[in-house]
Amino acid sequence: QVQLVESGGGLVQAGGSLRLSCVASGSIFSINAMGWYRQAPGKQRELVGRIVSGGSTNYADSVKGRFTISRDNANTMSLQMNSLKPEDTAVYYCNAGTWGSEYWGQGTQVTVSS
């Protein structure tokens, strides 16, 4: 079992920056990939970006060049968000995958005002 807790959300003006963190606990050494997803009101949850065990990352086209995912240590992942836009407003969820299971955090709200 893996437990995930996000932090760092908040209200920011367009063009600003935020840094989200996800702290994992439990069977963290079974994690082979972590990622960030987001869900805006009335929309489906979508992938923001992922980082796999070897450190490779991939991002949604909408955030490429603005967002950066890092695995800070064995149990912490961060999402640096720059040049934020109102359309980035959503609840952001941390995700962790192991061989056969998937885990989610409770989410943290990010609101970008125009």
Side-chain angles (χ1 to χ4, degrees):
Q1 293 281 337
V2 175
Q3 295 79 42
L4 303 170
V5 178
E6 304 98 334
S7 63
L11 173 64
V12 64
Q13 288 189 329
S17 299
L18 277 176
R19 186 177 181 87
L20 305 184
S21 292
C22 174
V23 177
S25 59
S27 301
I28 60 172
F29 293 104
S30 66
I31 297 173
N32 51 44
M34 296 186 74
W36 289 95
Y37 287 72
R38 66 186 182 186
Q39 187 166 19
K43 295 188 176 182
Q44 289 189 331
R45 190 172 297 189
E46 63 176 5
L47 174 70
V48 174
R50 295 177 75 242
I51 184 166
V52 298
S53 314
S56 298
T57 55
N58 63 282
Y59 299 93
D61 288 344
S62 59
V63 307
K64 279 181 183 176
R66 300 188 299 122
F67 290 12
T68 303
I69 290 175
S70 60
R71 188 86 182 262
D72 302 324
N73 52 48
N75 69 332
T76 305
M77 175 182 64
S78 297
L79 177 66
Q80 178 66 42
M81 304 186 293
N82 298 328
S83 302
L84 282 161
K85 305 175 181 180
E87 50 264 44
D88 295 318
T89 295
V91 177
Y92 283 70
Y93 296 92
C94 177
N95 171 274
T98 65
W99 296 111
S101 297
E102 192 173 31
Y103 301 91
W104 295 91
Q106 293 296 310
T108 185
Q109 176 70 46
V110 171
T111 303
V112 184
S113 63
S114 56

